[in-house]
Amino acid sequence: MFGLQKATQLTSADDETATLRWLAEQYPYPDRPASPPCLPRPYLRVNMVSSIDGAVTHNGRSGDLAGPGDKAIFRVLRALADVVLVGARTAVVEGYRQPSPDDVFTAARADREQTPAPALALVSRSLSIPTDYPPLSCRETAILTCCDAPDSRRRALSDAGATVIDCGDDTVDISAVLDVCAERGWVRVLSEGGPSLLGSFIAADAVDELCVTTSPNVAAGTAERIAHHPATAQLRAMRPTTIITDDDGFVYTRWTRTTVGR
Ligand SMILES: NC(=O)c1ccc[n+]([C@@H]2O[C@H](COP(=O)([O-])OP(=O)(O)OC[C@H]3O[C@@H](n4cnc5c(N)ncnc54)[C@H](OP(=O)(O)O)[C@@H]3O)[C@@H](O)[C@H]2O)c1
């Protein structure tokens, strides 16, 4: 009943580049099929941070929960991904920009035939993203929405240079989102939330891996959990694959699904 799964302790005295590369080895994506008979199914990894008592934000943002180790993992997971998929609200609240190439991982990405940096894809039904939001004008940024999104907003974002893609009719359909990822060659998908989007992923049974940083703080207050969704909750089993701790008391857990996904 009680298996002993040891946590690996990272120390801040370690060489930064070596630590980043070591972390990358702890978070491998599954191998990409060499000659797929059809488009490969993307692997969906989600990375979130929470307080010990489950708060997903402090003062309205996740930044106050993070520490240097969490930032290192955030950096490494981006360096491994083909695309960063994020809810539009999170992207705007947290001031997301187009991910930039990371010198530490340039060679590794080239070996994996990946672009120098992951693309950015925002999920939004309302398309209420400000037209001066900088990543919109980047060709690699995709806005994943649905056919019923307001025409005026669609036009406004397209005029601002955005690539707007429909994934579903009256709502953004998670299966269709992953199909679009596959069509674009984004098989290593990293989602950075937020909680509504993660809730939709869980409801669609689309999460292959959930990386959770536990910040060594309790928060109480009224902050949300890392996932929520209006549909009746269902338990989806996952198992811990990797557990890492650091000198600051953060715990980094990588959970993978125990069943085959959608
Ligand atoms: N602790 C962490 O790790 C972490 C990570 C990320 C974010 N956060 C925090 O979470 C907060 C934002 O979270 P949130 O839950 O409000 O927003 P969210 O999950 O980032 O965004 C939901 C967004 O996705 C869009 N959406 C469209 N279709 C959807 C679908 N089928 N399912 C789910 N979302 C869909 C919504 O678009 P429209 O409204 O445009 O229709 C909305 O903009 C911020 O305070 C942020 O700082 C924390």
Side-chain angles (χ1 to χ4, degrees):
M1 181 179 172
F2 294 104
L4 180 63
Q5 174 134 10
K6 288 189 182 163
T8 306
Q9 169 94 16
L10 264 181
T11 105
S12 46
D14 291 337
D15 165 66
E16 190 195 23
T17 300
T19 301
L20 291 168
R21 292 198 172 129
W22 179 84
L23 281 171
E25 287 167 14
Q26 312 313 306
Y27 288 84
Y29 277 95
D31 286 338
R32 188 178 181 162
S35 308
C38 55
L39 285 174
R41 177 189 174 279
Y43 182 90
L44 176 60
R45 163 181 286 166
V46 184
N47 184 34
M48 303 290 287
V49 59
S50 101
S51 67
I52 302 166
D53 56 337
V56 73
T57 52
H58 185 60
N59 297 324
R61 290 166 58 114
S62 57
D64 287 1
L65 298 171
D70 180 56
K71 289 181 181 142
I73 294 209
F74 186 89
R75 176 174 167 185
V76 165
L77 297 190
R78 283 190 162 202
L80 294 168
D82 297 327
V83 63
V84 175
L85 179 61
V86 68
R89 202 169 305 138
T90 291
V92 173
V93 169
E94 304 262 357
Y96 269 54
R97 295 291 176 264
Q98 185 66 34
S100 42
D102 186 330
D103 289 349
V104 172
F105 296 104
T106 306
R109 287 188 70 91
D111 287 349
R112 292 191 294 267
E113 299 179 1
Q114 290 178 292
T115 53
L120 180 65
L122 308 188
V123 179
S124 174
R125 187 189 179 286
S126 68
L127 295 180
S128 59
I129 303 163
T131 48
D132 61 353
Y133 176 62
L136 289 184
S137 56
C138 175
R139 209 167 43 91
E140 278 301 299
T141 301
I143 312 296
L144 308 183
T145 188
C146 58
C147 301
D148 283 359
D151 281 340
S152 58
R153 293 304 307 156
R154 187 187 292 273
R155 266 194 308 280
L157 295 188
S158 299
D159 290 349
T163 305
V164 182
I165 304 171
D166 286 328
C167 301
D169 296 330
D170 54 353
T171 180
V172 183
D173 176 69
I174 299 305
S175 260
V177 165
L178 293 175
D179 288 347
V180 165
C181 289
E183 284 158 23
R184 302 201 141 219
W186 298 334
V187 290
R188 305 170 193 92
V189 180
L190 170 66
S191 177
E192 295 173 348
S196 312
L197 188 57
L198 175 54
S200 290
F201 288 147
I202 293 171
D205 195 17
V207 179
D208 296 304
E209 181 178 320
L210 183 55
C211 301
V212 182
T213 294
T214 304
S215 174
N217 297 286
V218 283
T222 56
E224 304 273 5
R225 297 188 289 128
I226 63 170
H228 58 82
H229 191 268
T232 308
Q234 289 190 34
L235 290 180
R236 306 231 187 258
M238 305 198 92
R239 62 167 170 264
T241 308
T242 308
I243 304 173
I244 299 170
T245 63
D246 69 14
D247 292 343
D248 301 319
F250 284 75
V251 182
Y252 311 97
T253 315
R254 177 175 172 235
W255 299 86
T256 48
R257 64 157 75 243
T258 57
T259 53
V260 178
R262 62 171 198 118

